[in-house]
Amino acid sequence: DIIAQENDRKGNKNLVFIEVKTRNKLKNRNYGLPEDAVNFFKRKKIIQTARNYLFKKHYPEDTNWRIDVIAIEINEENHRANLRHMKSAVDYN
């Protein structure tokens, strides 16, 4: 969903692929948490997409990258949202 660049404290640039999943807390109770939607098959697809992106954009093989998940639960009743950012949520090694 999002491709971003992060500069760490050492000055290294990291490429971050971010999968965003949203659920309506009241309407989608039966579907579990938003991050539950990032199942085995979705993880495989995200990893393949990230690798294709790196290849097509000619990034060096030693490029630092990771896959994060942002989970958003929306509560329409009180007009609030709960957001969780899980860094390195998908292991691609």
Side-chain angles (χ1 to χ4, degrees):
D1 294 315
I2 301 170
I3 301 172
Q5 183 175 298
E6 175 186 67
N7 297 323
D8 65 17
R9 292 181 180 151
K10 296 178 183 176
N12 300 317
K13 293 181 180 185
N14 301 304
L15 203 57
V16 185
F17 298 90
I18 306 166
E19 180 68 17
V20 179
K21 290 296 179 191
T22 306
R23 294 285 180 269
N24 182 312
K25 191 171 185 170
L26 301 176
K27 291 181 183 176
N28 296 333
R29 289 182 190 169
N30 297 333
Y31 295 105
L33 298 172
E35 58 267 32
D36 294 340
V38 186
N39 59 28
F40 173 79
F41 299 104
K42 185 65 176 179
R43 288 191 304 269
K44 272 182 74 170
K45 185 176 179 181
I46 296 167
I47 292 165
Q48 186 60 46
T49 301
R51 287 186 171 142
N52 285 340
Y53 179 87
L54 293 166
F55 177 76
K56 288 181 180 181
K57 296 293 183 178
H58 307 287
Y59 278 89
E61 285 189 30
D62 63 347
T63 298
N64 293 321
W65 61 283
R66 69 173 194 261
I67 301 171
D68 293 1
V69 172
I70 293 180
I72 304 168
E73 283 184 291
I74 298 171
N75 185 331
E76 290 180 347
E77 209 170 68
N78 63 12
H79 304 286
R80 294 185 180 248
N82 182 30
L83 184 141
R84 290 180 297 283
H85 180 186
M86 293 151 274
K87 291 186 176 185
S88 300
V90 176
D91 183 17
Y92 57 88
N93 292 321

Coordinates of all heavy atoms in Angstrom, one line a residue:
D1 N 0.8 -1.2 0.0 CA 0.0 0.0 0.0 C 0.9 1.3 0.0 O 0.5 2.2 -0.7 CB -0.9 0.0 1.2 CG -2.0 -1.1 1.2 OD1 -2.6 -1.3 0.1 OD2 -2.2 -1.8 2.2
I2 N 1.9 1.2 0.8 CA 2.8 2.4 0.9 C 4.3 1.9 0.8 O 4.7 0.9 1.4 CB 2.6 3.1 2.3 CG1 1.2 3.6 2.5 CG2 3.6 4.3 2.4 CD1 0.9 4.0 3.9
I3 N 5.1 2.7 0.1 CA 6.5 2.5 0.1 C 7.1 3.8 0.6 O 6.9 4.8 0.1 CB 7.0 2.2 -1.4 CG1 6.3 0.9 -1.9 CG2 8.5 2.0 -1.3 CD1 6.6 0.6 -3.4
A4 N 8.0 3.6 1.6 CA 8.5 4.8 2.3 C 10.0 4.6 2.5 O 10.5 3.4 2.4 CB 7.9 5.1 3.6
Q5 N 10.7 5.6 2.8 CA 12.1 5.6 3.1 C 12.3 6.1 4.5 O 11.8 7.1 4.9 CB 13.0 6.4 2.1 CG 14.5 6.3 2.4 CD 15.3 7.0 1.3 OE1 15.2 6.6 0.2 NE2 16.0 8.0 1.7
E6 N 13.1 5.4 5.3 CA 13.4 5.8 6.7 C 14.9 5.9 6.8 O 15.7 5.1 6.4 CB 12.8 4.7 7.6 CG 13.2 5.0 9.1 CD 12.7 3.8 9.9 OE1 13.3 2.7 9.8 OE2 11.8 4.0 10.7
N7 N 15.3 7.0 7.5 CA 16.7 7.2 7.8 C 16.9 6.8 9.3 O 16.2 7.4 10.2 CB 17.1 8.6 7.6 CG 17.0 9.0 6.1 OD1 17.3 8.2 5.3 ND2 16.6 10.2 5.9
D8 N 17.7 5.8 9.5 CA 17.9 5.4 10.9 C 18.9 6.3 11.6 O 19.5 7.2 11.0 CB 18.3 3.9 11.0 CG 19.7 3.6 10.4 OD1 20.5 4.5 10.2 OD2 19.9 2.4 10.2
R9 N 19.2 6.0 12.9 CA 20.1 6.9 13.7 C 21.5 6.9 13.2 O 22.2 7.8 13.5 CB 20.0 6.5 15.1 CG 18.7 6.7 15.8 CD 18.6 6.3 17.2 NE 17.3 6.6 17.7 CZ 16.8 5.9 18.7 NH1 17.4 4.9 19.3 NH2 15.6 6.2 19.2
K10 N 21.9 5.9 12.5 CA 23.2 5.8 12.0 C 23.4 6.5 10.6 O 24.5 6.4 10.0 CB 23.7 4.3 11.9 CG 23.7 3.6 13.2 CD 24.1 2.2 13.0 CE 24.0 1.4 14.4 NZ 24.3 0.0 14.2
G11 N 22.3 7.0 10.1 CA 22.3 7.6 8.8 C 22.1 6.7 7.6 O 22.2 7.1 6.5
N12 N 21.8 5.4 7.9 CA 21.4 4.5 6.9 C 20.0 4.7 6.4 O 19.1 5.0 7.2 CB 21.6 3.0 7.4 CG 23.0 2.7 7.9 OD1 24.0 3.1 7.2 ND2 23.1 2.1 9.0
K13 N 19.8 4.5 5.1 CA 18.5 4.6 4.5 C 17.9 3.2 4.4 O 18.5 2.3 3.9 CB 18.6 5.2 3.1 CG 19.0 6.7 3.2 CD 19.1 7.3 1.9 CE 19.5 8.8 2.0 NZ 19.5 9.5 0.8
N14 N 16.7 3.1 4.9 CA 16.0 1.8 4.8 C 14.7 2.0 4.0 O 14.0 3.0 4.2 CB 15.6 1.3 6.2 CG 16.8 1.1 7.1 OD1 17.7 0.4 6.8 ND2 16.8 1.8 8.2
L15 N 14.4 1.1 3.1 CA 13.2 1.1 2.4 C 12.1 0.3 3.1 O 12.4 -0.8 3.6 CB 13.4 0.4 1.0 CG 12.5 0.8 -0.1 CD1 12.5 2.4 -0.3 CD2 12.9 0.1 -1.4
V16 N 11.0 0.9 3.3 CA 9.9 0.2 4.1 C 8.7 0.0 3.2 O 8.1 1.0 2.7 CB 9.6 1.1 5.3 CG1 8.5 0.4 6.2 CG2 10.8 1.5 6.1
F17 N 8.3 -1.2 3.1 CA 7.0 -1.6 2.4 C 6.0 -1.7 3.5 O 6.2 -2.5 4.5 CB 7.2 -2.9 1.6 CG 8.2 -2.7 0.5 CD1 9.6 -3.0 0.8 CD2 7.9 -2.3 -0.7 CE1 10.5 -2.9 -0.2 CE2 8.8 -2.2 -1.7 CZ 10.2 -2.5 -1.5
I18 N 4.9 -1.0 3.4 CA 3.9 -1.0 4.4 C 2.5 -1.5 3.9 O 2.0 -1.0 2.9 CB 3.7 0.4 5.0 CG1 5.1 1.0 5.5 CG2 2.7 0.4 6.2 CD1 5.1 2.5 5.7
E19 N 2.0 -2.5 4.6 CA 0.7 -3.1 4.3 C -0.3 -2.5 5.3 O 0.0 -2.6 6.5 CB 0.7 -4.6 4.4 CG -0.6 -5.3 4.1 CD -1.0 -5.2 2.6 OE1 -0.2 -4.8 1.7 OE2 -2.2 -5.4 2.4
V20 N -1.3 -1.9 4.8 CA -2.3 -1.2 5.7 C -3.6 -2.0 5.6 O -4.1 -2.3 4.5 CB -2.6 0.2 5.2 CG1 -3.6 0.9 6.1 CG2 -1.3 1.0 5.2
K21 N -4.1 -2.4 6.8 CA -5.3 -3.2 6.9 C -6.3 -2.4 7.8 O -5.9 -2.0 8.9 CB -5.1 -4.6 7.4 CG -4.4 -5.5 6.4 CD -5.2 -5.7 5.2 CE -4.6 -6.6 4.2 NZ -5.3 -6.6 2.9
T22 N -7.5 -2.3 7.4 CA -8.5 -1.5 8.2 C -9.7 -2.4 8.4 O -10.1 -3.1 7.5 CB -8.9 -0.2 7.4 OG1 -7.8 0.5 7.1 CG2 -9.9 0.6 8.2
R23 N -10.3 -2.3 9.6 CA -11.5 -3.0 9.9 C -12.4 -2.0 10.7 O -12.0 -1.2 11.5 CB -11.3 -4.2 10.8 CG -10.5 -5.3 10.1 CD -11.4 -6.1 9.2 NE -10.7 -7.2 8.5 CZ -10.0 -7.0 7.4 NH1 -9.9 -5.9 6.7 NH2 -9.4 -8.1 6.8
N24 N -13.7 -2.2 10.4 CA -14.7 -1.5 11.2 C -14.9 -2.3 12.5 O -15.4 -3.5 12.4 CB -16.0 -1.3 10.4 CG -17.1 -0.6 11.2 OD1 -17.3 -0.9 12.4 ND2 -17.7 0.4 10.5
K25 N -14.6 -1.8 13.6 CA -14.6 -2.6 14.9 C -16.0 -3.2 15.2 O -16.1 -4.3 15.6 CB -14.2 -1.7 16.0 CG -13.9 -2.5 17.3 CD -13.2 -1.6 18.3 CE -12.9 -2.5 19.5 NZ -12.0 -1.8 20.5
L26 N -17.1 -2.5 14.9 CA -18.4 -3.0 15.2 C -19.0 -3.9 14.1 O -19.6 -4.9 14.4 CB -19.3 -1.8 15.4 CG -18.9 -0.9 16.6 CD1 -19.9 0.3 16.7 CD2 -18.8 -1.6 17.9
K27 N -18.7 -3.6 12.9 CA -19.3 -4.4 11.8 C -18.5 -5.6 11.4 O -19.1 -6.6 11.0 CB -19.4 -3.5 10.5 CG -20.4 -2.4 10.6 CD -20.5 -1.6 9.4 CE -21.5 -0.5 9.5 NZ -21.5 0.4 8.3
N28 N -17.2 -5.7 11.7 CA -16.4 -6.8 11.2 C -15.8 -7.6 12.4 O -14.7 -8.1 12.3 CB -15.3 -6.2 10.3 CG -15.8 -5.6 9.1 OD1 -16.8 -5.9 8.6 ND2 -15.0 -4.7 8.6
R29 N -16.6 -7.8 13.4 CA -16.1 -8.6 14.5 C -15.7 -10.0 14.2 O -14.8 -10.6 14.7 CB -17.2 -8.6 15.6 CG -17.4 -7.3 16.3 CD -18.4 -7.4 17.4 NE -18.7 -6.1 17.9 CZ -19.7 -5.9 18.7 NH1 -20.5 -6.8 19.1 NH2 -19.9 -4.6 19.1
N30 N -16.5 -10.6 13.2 CA -16.2 -12.0 12.8 C -15.0 -12.2 12.0 O -14.5 -13.3 11.8 CB -17.4 -12.5 12.0 CG -18.7 -12.5 12.8 OD1 -18.6 -12.6 14.1 ND2 -19.8 -12.4 12.2
Y31 N -14.4 -11.1 11.5 CA -13.2 -11.2 10.7 C -11.9 -11.1 11.4 O -10.8 -11.2 10.9 CB -13.2 -10.1 9.6 CG -14.4 -10.3 8.6 CD1 -15.5 -9.5 8.7 CD2 -14.3 -11.3 7.7 CE1 -16.5 -9.7 7.8 CE2 -15.4 -11.5 6.8 CZ -16.5 -10.7 6.8 OH -17.5 -10.9 6.0
G32 N -12.0 -10.8 12.7 CA -10.8 -10.7 13.5 C -10.1 -9.4 13.4 O -10.7 -8.4 12.9
L33 N -8.9 -9.3 13.9 CA -8.2 -8.0 13.9 C -7.7 -7.7 12.5 O -7.5 -8.7 11.7 CB -7.0 -8.1 14.8 CG -7.3 -8.3 16.3 CD1 -6.0 -8.6 17.1 CD2 -8.0 -7.1 16.9
P34 N -7.5 -6.5 12.1 CA -7.0 -6.1 10.8 C -5.7 -6.9 10.4 O -5.6 -7.4 9.3 CB -6.8 -4.6 10.9 CG -7.5 -4.1 12.0 CD -7.6 -5.3 13.0
E35 N -4.8 -7.0 11.3 CA -3.5 -7.6 11.0 C -3.7 -9.1 10.8 O -2.8 -9.8 10.1 CB -2.5 -7.4 12.1 CG -2.9 -7.8 13.5 CD -3.5 -6.7 14.3 OE1 -4.2 -5.9 13.8 OE2 -3.3 -6.8 15.6
D36 N -4.8 -9.7 11.2 CA -5.0 -11.1 10.9 C -5.2 -11.4 9.4 O -5.0 -12.5 8.9 CB -6.3 -11.6 11.7 CG -6.1 -11.6 13.2 OD1 -4.9 -11.6 13.6 OD2 -7.1 -11.7 13.9
A37 N -5.6 -10.4 8.7 CA -5.8 -10.5 7.2 C -4.4 -10.7 6.5 O -4.4 -11.0 5.3 CB -6.5 -9.3 6.7
V38 N -3.3 -10.4 7.2 CA -2.0 -10.6 6.5 C -1.6 -12.0 6.8 O -0.7 -12.3 7.7 CB -1.0 -9.5 7.1 CG1 0.3 -9.7 6.3 CG2 -1.5 -8.1 6.9
N39 N -2.2 -12.9 6.1 CA -2.0 -14.3 6.3 C -0.8 -14.8 5.5 O -0.1 -14.0 4.8 CB -3.3 -15.1 6.0 CG -3.7 -14.9 4.6 OD1 -3.0 -14.6 3.7 ND2 -5.0 -15.0 4.3
F40 N -0.6 -16.1 5.5 CA 0.5 -16.7 4.8 C 0.6 -16.3 3.3 O 1.6 -15.9 2.8 CB 0.5 -18.2 4.9 CG 1.5 -18.9 4.1 CD1 2.8 -19.0 4.5 CD2 1.2 -19.5 2.8 CE1 3.8 -19.7 3.7 CE2 2.1 -20.1 2.0 CZ 3.4 -20.2 2.5
F41 N -0.6 -16.4 2.6 CA -0.6 -16.1 1.2 C -0.4 -14.6 0.9 O 0.2 -14.2 0.0 CB -2.0 -16.6 0.6 CG -2.1 -18.0 0.7 CD1 -3.0 -18.6 1.7 CD2 -1.4 -18.9 -0.1 CE1 -3.1 -20.0 1.8 CE2 -1.5 -20.3 0.0 CZ -2.4 -20.8 1.0
K42 N -1.0 -13.7 1.8 CA -0.8 -12.3 1.6 C 0.7 -11.9 1.9 O 1.2 -11.1 1.2 CB -1.7 -11.5 2.6 CG -1.7 -10.1 2.5 CD -2.2 -9.6 1.1 CE -2.3 -8.1 1.0 NZ -2.8 -7.7 -0.3
R43 N 1.3 -12.6 2.9 CA 2.7 -12.3 3.1 C 3.6 -12.7 1.9 O 4.5 -11.9 1.6 CB 3.2 -13.0 4.4 CG 2.6 -12.4 5.7 CD 3.3 -13.0 6.9 NE 3.2 -14.5 7.0 CZ 2.2 -15.1 7.7 NH1 1.2 -14.5 8.2 NH2 2.3 -16.4 7.7
K44 N 3.3 -13.8 1.4 CA 4.0 -14.3 0.2 C 3.9 -13.2 -1.0 O 4.9 -12.9 -1.6 CB 3.5 -15.6 -0.3 CG 4.2 -16.8 0.3 CD 3.7 -18.1 -0.2 CE 4.2 -18.4 -1.6 NZ 3.9 -19.7 -2.1
K45 N 2.7 -12.7 -1.2 CA 2.4 -11.8 -2.2 C 3.2 -10.5 -2.0 O 3.8 -9.9 -2.9 CB 0.9 -11.5 -2.4 CG 0.6 -10.6 -3.5 CD -0.9 -10.5 -3.7 CE -1.2 -9.6 -4.8 NZ -2.6 -9.4 -5.0
I46 N 3.2 -10.0 -0.7 CA 3.8 -8.8 -0.3 C 5.3 -8.9 -0.6 O 6.0 -8.0 -1.1 CB 3.5 -8.4 1.1 CG1 2.1 -8.1 1.3 CG2 4.4 -7.2 1.5 CD1 1.6 -8.0 2.8
I47 N 5.9 -10.0 -0.1 CA 7.3 -10.3 -0.3 C 7.7 -10.3 -1.8 O 8.7 -9.6 -2.2 CB 7.8 -11.6 0.4 CG1 7.6 -11.5 1.9 CG2 9.2 -12.0 0.0 CD1 7.7 -12.8 2.6
Q48 N 6.9 -11.0 -2.6 CA 7.2 -11.0 -4.0 C 7.1 -9.6 -4.6 O 8.0 -9.2 -5.5 CB 6.3 -12.0 -4.7 CG 6.6 -12.2 -6.2 CD 8.0 -12.8 -6.4 OE1 8.4 -13.7 -5.7 NE2 8.8 -12.2 -7.3
T49 N 6.1 -8.9 -4.3 CA 5.9 -7.5 -4.8 C 7.1 -6.6 -4.4 O 7.6 -5.9 -5.2 CB 4.6 -6.9 -4.3 OG1 3.5 -7.8 -4.7 CG2 4.4 -5.5 -4.8
A50 N 7.5 -6.7 -3.2 CA 8.7 -5.9 -2.7 C 9.9 -6.3 -3.5 O 10.7 -5.4 -3.9 CB 8.9 -6.1 -1.2
R51 N 10.2 -7.6 -3.6 CA 11.4 -8.0 -4.4 C 11.3 -7.6 -5.8 O 12.3 -7.1 -6.4 CB 11.6 -9.5 -4.3 CG 12.0 -9.9 -2.9 CD 12.3 -11.4 -2.8 NE 13.0 -11.7 -1.6 CZ 12.7 -12.8 -0.9 NH1 11.9 -13.7 -1.3 NH2 13.3 -13.0 0.3
N52 N 10.2 -7.6 -6.5 CA 10.0 -7.2 -7.8 C 10.3 -5.7 -7.9 O 10.9 -5.2 -8.9 CB 8.6 -7.5 -8.4 CG 8.4 -8.9 -8.7 OD1 9.4 -9.7 -8.9 ND2 7.2 -9.4 -8.7
Y53 N 9.8 -4.9 -7.0 CA 10.0 -3.5 -6.9 C 11.5 -3.1 -6.9 O 12.0 -2.3 -7.6 CB 9.2 -2.9 -5.7 CG 9.4 -1.4 -5.6 CD1 8.6 -0.5 -6.3 CD2 10.5 -0.8 -4.8 CE1 8.8 0.9 -6.2 CE2 10.6 0.5 -4.7 CZ 9.8 1.4 -5.4 OH 10.0 2.7 -5.3
L54 N 12.2 -3.8 -5.9 CA 13.6 -3.6 -5.8 C 14.4 -3.9 -7.1 O 15.3 -3.2 -7.5 CB 14.1 -4.4 -4.6 CG 13.7 -4.1 -3.2 CD1 14.0 -5.2 -2.2 CD2 14.3 -2.7 -2.8
F55 N 14.0 -5.0 -7.7 CA 14.6 -5.4 -9.0 C 14.4 -4.4 -10.1 O 15.3 -3.9 -10.8 CB 14.2 -6.8 -9.4 CG 14.7 -7.3 -10.7 CD1 16.0 -7.7 -10.7 CD2 14.0 -7.3 -11.8 CE1 16.6 -8.1 -12.0 CE2 14.5 -7.7 -13.0 CZ 15.8 -8.1 -13.1
K56 N 13.1 -4.0 -10.3 CA 12.7 -3.1 -11.4 C 13.3 -1.7 -11.2 O 13.5 -1.0 -12.2 CB 11.2 -3.1 -11.5 CG 10.6 -4.4 -12.1 CD 9.1 -4.3 -12.3 CE 8.6 -5.6 -12.9 NZ 7.2 -5.6 -13.1
K57 N 13.4 -1.3 -9.9 CA 14.0 0.0 -9.7 C 15.5 0.0 -9.5 O 16.1 1.0 -9.2 CB 13.3 0.6 -8.4 CG 11.9 0.9 -8.5 CD 11.6 1.9 -9.5 CE 10.1 2.2 -9.6 NZ 9.7 3.3 -10.5
H58 N 16.1 -1.1 -9.8 CA 17.6 -1.3 -9.8 C 18.2 -1.0 -8.4 O 19.3 -0.4 -8.4 CB 18.2 -0.5 -10.9 CG 17.6 -0.7 -12.2 ND1 17.9 -1.9 -12.9 CD2 16.8 0.0 -13.0 CE1 17.2 -1.8 -14.1 NE2 16.5 -0.7 -14.1
Y59 N 17.6 -1.4 -7.4 CA 18.2 -1.2 -6.0 C 19.3 -2.3 -5.9 O 19.2 -3.4 -6.4 CB 17.2 -1.4 -4.9 CG 16.4 -0.2 -4.6 CD1 15.2 0.0 -5.3 CD2 16.7 0.7 -3.7 CE1 14.4 1.1 -5.1 CE2 16.0 1.8 -3.4 CZ 14.8 2.0 -4.1 OH 14.0 3.1 -3.9
P60 N 20.4 -1.9 -5.2 CA 21.5 -2.9 -5.0 C 21.0 -4.1 -4.1 O 20.0 -3.9 -3.4 CB 22.6 -2.1 -4.3 CG 22.2 -0.7 -4.3 CD 20.7 -0.6 -4.7
E61 N 21.6 -5.2 -4.3 CA 21.2 -6.4 -3.5 C 21.3 -6.2 -2.0 O 20.6 -6.8 -1.3 CB 21.9 -7.6 -4.0 CG 21.5 -8.2 -5.3 CD 22.1 -9.5 -5.6 OE1 22.4 -10.3 -4.7 OE2 22.3 -9.8 -6.8
D62 N 22.2 -5.4 -1.6 CA 22.4 -5.2 -0.2 C 21.5 -4.0 0.4 O 21.8 -3.6 1.5 CB 23.9 -4.9 0.2 CG 24.4 -3.6 -0.5 OD1 23.7 -3.0 -1.4 OD2 25.5 -3.2 -0.1
T63 N 20.5 -3.6 -0.3 CA 19.6 -2.6 0.2 C 18.9 -3.1 1.4 O 18.4 -4.2 1.5 CB 18.6 -2.2 -0.9 OG1 19.2 -1.7 -2.1 CG2 17.6 -1.2 -0.4
N64 N 18.9 -2.2 2.5 CA 18.1 -2.5 3.7 C 16.6 -2.3 3.4 O 16.3 -1.2 3.0 CB 18.6 -1.6 4.8 CG 20.0 -1.9 5.2 OD1 20.4 -3.1 5.3 ND2 20.8 -0.9 5.5
W65 N 15.8 -3.3 3.7 CA 14.4 -3.1 3.6 C 13.7 -4.0 4.5 O 14.2 -4.9 5.1 CB 13.9 -3.4 2.1 CG 14.2 -4.7 1.6 CD1 15.4 -5.2 1.1 CD2 13.2 -5.8 1.4 NE1 15.2 -6.5 0.7 CE2 13.9 -6.9 0.8 CE3 11.9 -5.9 1.7 CZ2 13.2 -8.1 0.5 CZ3 11.2 -7.1 1.4 CH2 11.9 -8.1 0.8
R66 N 12.4 -3.6 4.8 CA 11.6 -4.4 5.7 C 10.1 -4.2 5.3 O 9.8 -3.4 4.5 CB 11.8 -4.0 7.1 CG 11.3 -2.6 7.5 CD 11.4 -2.4 9.0 NE 10.6 -1.2 9.4 CZ 11.0 0.0 9.5 NH1 12.3 0.3 9.4 NH2 10.2 1.0 9.8
I67 N 9.3 -5.1 5.9 CA 7.9 -5.0 5.6 C 7.1 -4.8 7.0 O 7.3 -5.5 7.9 CB 7.3 -6.3 5.0 CG1 8.1 -6.5 3.6 CG2 5.8 -6.2 4.8 CD1 7.8 -7.9 3.0
D68 N 6.4 -3.6 7.0 CA 5.6 -3.3 8.2 C 4.2 -3.5 7.9 O 3.7 -3.6 6.8 CB 5.8 -1.8 8.6 CG 7.2 -1.5 9.0 OD1 8.1 -2.4 9.1 OD2 7.5 -0.3 9.4
V69 N 3.4 -3.6 9.0 CA 1.9 -3.7 8.9 C 1.4 -2.6 9.8 O 1.8 -2.4 10.9 CB 1.4 -5.0 9.3 CG1 -0.1 -5.0 9.4 CG2 1.9 -6.1 8.4
I70 N 0.4 -1.8 9.2 CA -0.3 -0.8 10.0 C -1.8 -1.4 10.0 O -2.4 -1.6 9.0 CB -0.3 0.6 9.4 CG1 1.1 1.1 9.4 CG2 -1.3 1.5 10.1 CD1 1.3 2.5 8.9
A71 N -2.2 -1.6 11.2 CA -3.6 -2.1 11.5 C -4.4 -1.0 12.0 O -4.1 -0.3 13.0 CB -3.6 -3.3 12.4
I72 N -5.6 -0.7 11.4 CA -6.5 0.3 11.9 C -7.8 -0.2 12.2 O -8.4 -0.9 11.3 CB -6.6 1.4 10.8 CG1 -5.3 2.0 10.4 CG2 -7.6 2.6 11.3 CD1 -5.3 2.9 9.1
E73 N -8.3 0.0 13.4 CA -9.7 -0.4 13.8 C -10.5 0.9 14.0 O -10.1 1.7 14.8 CB -9.7 -1.2 15.1 CG -9.2 -2.6 14.9 CD -9.3 -3.3 16.2 OE1 -8.5 -3.0 17.2 OE2 -10.2 -4.2 16.3
I74 N -11.6 1.0 13.2 CA -12.4 2.2 13.2 C -13.6 1.8 14.1 O -14.3 0.8 13.8 CB -12.8 2.6 11.8 CG1 -11.6 3.0 11.0 CG2 -13.8 3.7 11.9 CD1 -11.8 3.2 9.6
N75 N -14.0 2.7 15.0 CA -15.2 2.6 15.8 C -16.1 3.7 15.4 O -15.9 4.9 15.8 CB -14.9 2.6 17.3 CG -16.1 2.4 18.1 OD1 -17.2 2.7 17.8 ND2 -15.8 1.8 19.3
E76 N -17.1 3.4 14.5 CA -18.0 4.5 14.0 C -18.9 5.0 15.1 O -19.4 6.2 15.0 CB -18.8 4.0 12.9 CG -18.0 3.7 11.6 CD -18.8 3.2 10.5 OE1 -19.9 2.8 10.7 OE2 -18.3 3.2 9.4
E77 N -19.1 4.3 16.2 CA -20.0 4.7 17.3 C -19.4 5.9 18.0 O -20.1 6.9 18.2 CB -20.2 3.5 18.2 CG -21.5 3.5 19.0 CD -21.6 2.2 19.7 OE1 -20.9 2.0 20.7 OE2 -22.5 1.5 19.3
N78 N -18.1 5.9 18.3 CA -17.5 7.0 19.0 C -16.6 7.8 18.2 O -15.9 8.7 18.6 CB -16.8 6.5 20.3 CG -15.6 5.6 20.0 OD1 -15.2 5.5 18.9 ND2 -15.1 5.0 21.0
H79 N -16.6 7.5 16.8 CA -15.8 8.3 15.9 C -14.3 8.3 16.2 O -13.6 9.3 16.1 CB -16.3 9.7 15.7 CG -17.7 9.8 15.4 ND1 -18.2 9.5 14.1 CD2 -18.8 10.1 16.1 CE1 -19.5 9.6 14.1 NE2 -19.9 10.0 15.3
R80 N -13.8 7.2 16.6 CA -12.4 7.0 17.0 C -11.8 5.9 16.2 O -12.5 5.0 15.7 CB -12.2 6.8 18.5 CG -12.6 8.0 19.3 CD -12.3 7.7 20.8 NE -12.7 8.8 21.5 CZ -11.9 9.7 22.2 NH1 -10.6 9.5 22.1 NH2 -12.4 10.7 22.8
A81 N -10.5 5.9 16.1 CA -9.7 4.9 15.4 C -8.5 4.4 16.3 O -7.9 5.3 17.0 CB -9.2 5.3 14.1
N82 N -8.3 3.2 16.3 CA -7.1 2.6 17.0 C -6.1 2.2 15.9 O -6.5 1.4 15.0 CB -7.5 1.5 17.9 CG -6.4 0.9 18.7 OD1 -5.4 1.7 19.0 ND2 -6.4 -0.3 19.0
L83 N -4.9 2.7 16.0 CA -3.9 2.4 15.0 C -2.7 1.7 15.6 O -2.2 2.1 16.7 CB -3.4 3.7 14.3 CG -2.4 3.5 13.2 CD1 -2.7 4.5 12.1 CD2 -1.0 3.7 13.7
R84 N -2.3 0.6 15.0 CA -1.1 -0.2 15.5 C -0.1 -0.3 14.3 O -0.5 -0.7 13.2 CB -1.5 -1.6 16.0 CG -2.3 -1.6 17.2 CD -2.6 -3.0 17.7 NE -3.5 -3.7 16.7 CZ -4.8 -3.5 16.6 NH1 -5.4 -2.6 17.3 NH2 -5.5 -4.2 15.7
H85 N 1.1 0.1 14.6 CA 2.2 0.0 13.6 C 3.2 -1.1 14.0 O 3.8 -0.9 15.1 CB 2.9 1.4 13.5 CG 4.0 1.4 12.4 ND1 4.9 2.4 12.3 CD2 4.4 0.4 11.5 CE1 5.7 2.2 11.3 NE2 5.5 0.9 10.9
M86 N 3.2 -2.1 13.3 CA 4.1 -3.3 13.6 C 5.3 -3.3 12.6 O 5.1 -3.6 11.4 CB 3.3 -4.6 13.5 CG 2.2 -4.6 14.6 SD 0.8 -5.6 14.1 CE -0.2 -4.4 13.3
K87 N 6.4 -2.9 13.1 CA 7.6 -2.8 12.3 C 8.2 -4.3 12.1 O 8.1 -5.1 13.0 CB 8.7 -2.0 13.0 CG 8.3 -0.5 13.0 CD 9.5 0.3 13.5 CE 9.1 1.8 13.4 NZ 10.3 2.6 13.8
S88 N 8.7 -4.5 10.9 CA 9.2 -5.8 10.5 C 8.3 -6.9 10.8 O 8.6 -8.0 11.4 CB 10.6 -6.0 11.3 OG 11.5 -5.0 10.9
A89 N 7.0 -6.7 10.5 CA 6.0 -7.6 10.8 C 6.0 -8.9 9.9 O 5.5 -9.9 10.3 CB 4.6 -7.0 10.7
V90 N 6.6 -8.8 8.8 CA 6.7 -9.9 7.8 C 8.1 -10.3 7.6 O 8.9 -9.5 7.2 CB 6.0 -9.5 6.5 CG1 6.2 -10.7 5.5 CG2 4.6 -9.2 6.7
D91 N 8.4 -11.5 8.0 CA 9.8 -12.1 7.8 C 9.9 -12.6 6.4 O 9.2 -13.4 6.0 CB 10.0 -13.2 8.8 CG 11.5 -13.7 8.8 OD1 12.3 -13.0 8.2 OD2 11.7 -14.8 9.3
Y92 N 10.9 -12.1 5.7 CA 11.1 -12.5 4.3 C 12.4 -13.3 4.1 O 12.7 -13.6 3.0 CB 11.1 -11.3 3.4 CG 12.1 -10.2 3.7 CD1 13.4 -10.3 3.2 CD2 11.8 -9.2 4.5 CE1 14.4 -9.4 3.5 CE2 12.8 -8.2 4.8 CZ 14.0 -8.3 4.3 OH 15.0 -7.4 4.6
N93 N 13.1 -13.7 5.1 CA 14.3 -14.5 5.0 C 14.0 -15.9 4.9 O 13.1 -16.5 5.4 CB 15.3 -14.1 6.1 CG 15.8 -12.7 5.9 OD1 16.1 -12.3 4.8 ND2 15.9 -12.0 7.0

